[in-house]
Amino acid sequence: MNKKAQRDQNMKKKVAFYTLGCKLNFSETSTIARGFQEDGFDRVDFSEHADMYVINTCSVTENADKRFKTIVKQAQKINPEAFVAAIGCYAQLKPEELAAVDGVDLVLGATEKFKIGDYINDLTKNDFGEVHSCEIEEADFYVGSYAIGDRTRAFLKVQDGCDYKCTYCTIPLARGISRSDTLQNVLNNASEISAKGIKEIVLTGVNIGDYGKGEFGNKTHEHTFLDLVKALDRVEGIHRLRISSIEPNLLKNETIDFVSQSSSFVPHFHIPLQSGSDEILKLMRRRYMSALYTDRVNKIKETMPHACIGVDVIVGFPGETDEHFLETYHFLNELDISYLHVFTYSERDNTAAAEMDGVVSKQVRSKRSKMLRGLSVKKRRAFYESQLAKTHQVLFEGENKEGYIHGFTSNYVKVKSPWNPELVNTLHNVSLTEIDEDGLVRFDFEKSTTKV
């Protein structure tokens, strides 16, 4: 690099990003970051000195709210003069609250975050946090995005917003109505990702089973989630496609059957349950009862006995008695599932659940959460044991974790092996041999394995 180029490089503004929450947030952060880079910024790690720090917020849990202040302090500690911007769900729901946090210069809502460049000038700090936040009814257009993680997988956003009115959830208030990317744009993004040598794509959205709705900027509906799955299966160069999370009432038999025969979709489903009690499901205003959930799990296991099934469940919802909780516990214990994501209910402003009677004490919520996390460990162990002595294809990841490389089988068994950089972002056939002390699985390479 010559001296002028070096000088130009040194003069470049630096921007850093911190993302709270879901895979969807990560995909949007990546797209926004690429926009900054196109505008001449250098992207650096959040732990490094930067001229601007952008925090993509989440509103799903109380903890995510609290962490925001801590992250702002981290940025200020590194560079007290840095310009700090807040975007994302919490920024849409409580913009004034975020703007009042010491050190915050700019807060952008659901539609404004994608035009962040229009709201920054010379990055001089403001005396008070400046707010640009639309009415959520205005969040009716779609912005496509994808995130590339550790060079082995990408999160591809296909849908945004939600028309469901679950009584505990702020997402419709934070992200607006359900709307989708056009099928062609999804396929173009998938091809772009594939061209970068990424081996796995994870489909993300708020309610991806609702895909198709709003793809033309209105409620006209040409494509369905099944159409999307079939079209993506034909994209050249994608080795693996994974469905991140799909509502049980939107996971149709045709989709399950197609995945079972697919060349690239993997046998892994993550299906929110939230409660095993029909009474609580009604209070939550979910769109199914427990019998339908059982039917979905049974259908998957009949078609793909080796499939991994993850479950979201909420404990401590208002009105959840000990009997309701035990109903959920026994329901999950008897179900052929592979692991749980356990969420402790927390009150969110402007939701119907926050006004409900039958508040469960924090102590009881914590106890129930601990019980279900213990059940999850048991379920994951049983699933891993069922896969021992079987041959699977593993995609190896890019991080050296205490001398080991990790990877995932197509059906989401996490494996480990002594660190070998040559394995990063390659696919190999392996035979699973034993479960290690840390719960991860050891393996032997198959002699016929081919590096991809």
Side-chain angles (χ1 to χ4, degrees):
M1 188 183 290
N2 62 39
K3 285 185 179 177
K4 182 183 182 302
Q6 182 69 58
R7 199 162 54 245
D8 290 346
Q9 184 71 23
N10 292 340
M11 287 172 67
K12 267 188 171 185
K13 297 284 188 188
K14 292 182 170 60
V15 62
F17 294 83
Y18 197 106
T19 305
L20 291 160
C22 61
K23 294 181 180 77
L24 182 56
N25 267 10
F26 278 92
S27 74
E28 291 179 344
T29 296
S30 278
T31 296
I32 292 165
R34 285 194 291 274
F36 270 92
Q37 288 167 301
E38 286 164 13
D39 289 342
F41 280 77
D42 268 344
R43 183 179 181 178
V44 298
D45 191 80
F46 202 84
S47 62
E48 295 178 44
H49 190 280
D51 301 286
M52 180 176 182
Y53 293 91
V54 181
I55 304 164
N56 195 353
T57 63
C58 170
S59 66
V60 171
T61 66
E62 197 177 12
N63 191 41
D65 293 0
K66 288 175 180 173
R67 284 186 65 197
F68 176 75
K69 288 181 183 176
T70 307
I71 296 157
V72 172
K73 282 180 184 171
Q74 281 174 19
Q76 286 189 297
K77 197 172 179 183
I78 301 165
N79 181 7
E81 299 304 311
F83 191 89
V84 177
I87 61 173
C89 292
Y90 193 26
Q92 173 64 35
L93 290 173
K94 303 218 173 156
E96 304 295 342
E97 197 172 293
L98 292 194
V101 173
D102 188 42
V104 173
D105 300 288
L106 178 67
V107 179
L108 298 180
T111 63
E112 293 81 5
K113 64 188 173 189
F114 295 109
K115 300 175 284 188
I116 187 169
D118 297 347
Y119 297 97
I120 57 175
N121 297 312
D122 59 356
L123 300 185
T124 302
K125 288 192 75 62
N126 294 324
D127 293 332
F128 304 99
E130 193 178 300
V131 172
H132 297 276
S133 181
C134 67
E135 293 299 317
I136 197 58
E137 290 77 19
E138 294 171 36
D140 58 358
F141 60 90
Y142 186 86
V143 178
S145 58
Y146 63 84
I148 292 169
D150 56 4
R151 290 181 25 234
T152 61
R153 73 169 57 85
F155 302 128
L156 173 58
K157 174 182 167 185
V158 299
Q159 182 274 342
D160 201 351
C162 189
D163 292 341
Y164 288 8
K165 297 291 186 284
C166 300
T167 54
Y168 53 82
C169 186
T170 57
I171 296 297
L173 300 172
R175 285 187 168 271
I177 59 171
S178 179
R179 54 208 189 274
S180 309
D181 207 347
T182 64
L183 185 59
Q184 192 54 56
N185 200 44
V186 173
L187 298 178
N188 291 346
N189 282 341
S191 295
E192 263 184 49
I193 292 165
S194 169
K196 296 176 190 291
I198 306 295
K199 298 288 195 296
E200 179 174 308
I201 292 177
V202 183
L203 304 184
T204 70
V206 174
N207 188 359
I208 65 172
D210 212 22
Y211 176 82
K213 194 184 283 185
E215 64 180 316
F216 302 110
N218 51 37
K219 292 295 178 186
T220 55
H221 218 298
E222 183 178 334
H223 297 108
T224 64
F225 183 69
L226 181 60
D227 294 332
L228 173 73
V229 165
K230 287 180 174 178
L232 281 167
D233 200 51
R234 295 192 293 269
V235 175
E236 288 291 320
I238 300 175
H239 296 273
R240 284 184 178 182
L241 286 154
R242 199 177 294 274
I243 299 167
S244 63
S245 180
I246 185 166
E247 294 284 306
N249 54 302
L250 296 174
L251 179 56
K252 307 298 185 187
N253 284 347
E254 296 84 355
T255 302
I256 295 170
D257 288 334
F258 184 81
V259 168
S260 73
Q261 304 296 322
S262 166
S263 57
S264 51
F265 274 90
V266 297
H268 175 206
F269 296 86
H270 193 94
I271 314 170
L273 168 68
Q274 311 310 11
S275 176
S277 162
D278 287 346
E279 276 186 55
I280 299 299
L281 287 173
K282 285 174 188 171
L283 286 174
M284 290 177 166
R285 268 191 231 148
R286 300 293 285 161
R287 297 196 175 196
Y288 54 86
M289 292 291 103
S290 58
L292 182 136
Y293 197 93
T294 301
D295 180 72
R296 299 297 75 207
V297 170
N298 290 344
K299 169 66 179 175
I300 291 166
K301 285 296 185 174
E302 284 164 16
T303 320
M304 294 165 272
H306 60 301
C308 178
I309 302 175
V311 182
D312 284 342
V313 62
I314 296 170
V315 296
F317 188 81
E320 184 187 64
T321 62
D322 286 343
E323 289 74 22
H324 290 134
F325 172 71
L326 287 173
E327 199 179 342
T328 295
Y329 187 94
H330 293 312
F331 178 78
L332 289 166
N333 192 36
E334 290 162 20
L335 211 55
D336 193 1
I337 55 162
S338 314
Y339 64 90
L340 305 172
H341 281 174
V342 183
F343 297 89
T344 304
Y345 172 76
S346 59
E347 288 78 3
R348 317 308 293 149
D349 289 346
N350 301 314
T351 60
E355 307 299 321
M356 288 181 179
D357 296 330
V359 174
V360 179
S361 74
K362 295 281 177 75
Q363 189 178 3
V364 171
R365 293 183 212 184
S366 177
K367 180 184 171 187
R368 290 175 185 172
S369 175
K370 195 172 180 181
M371 283 177 70
L372 281 186
R373 288 179 204 279
L375 180 61
S376 180
V377 170
K378 178 182 138 187
K379 285 285 185 182
R380 193 185 296 270
R381 176 91 188 188
F383 176 63
Y384 281 10
E385 283 176 352
S386 75
Q387 300 305 301
L388 295 180
K390 291 189 166 83
T391 298
H392 287 283
Q393 193 175 66
V394 169
L395 173 60
F396 288 98
E397 303 198 327
E399 197 177 340
N400 182 342
K401 294 184 179 176
E402 297 177 355
Y404 288 94
I405 189 168
H406 294 163
F408 284 94
T409 63
S410 57
N411 65 342
Y412 216 55
V413 174
K414 191 171 185 179
V415 304
K416 65 185 285 193
S417 183
W419 171 252
N420 178 355
E422 291 180 13
L423 291 176
V424 173
N425 199 31
T426 61
L427 290 155
H428 292 268
N429 293 328
V430 306
S431 175
L432 304 182
T433 56
E434 61 180 323
I435 302 174
D436 214 350
E437 289 175 358
D438 58 6
L440 305 187
V441 180
R442 298 278 194 164
F443 60 86
D444 292 329
F445 285 103
E446 291 285 290
K447 290 194 173 89
S448 60
T449 188
T450 52
K451 178 175 160 182
V452 180

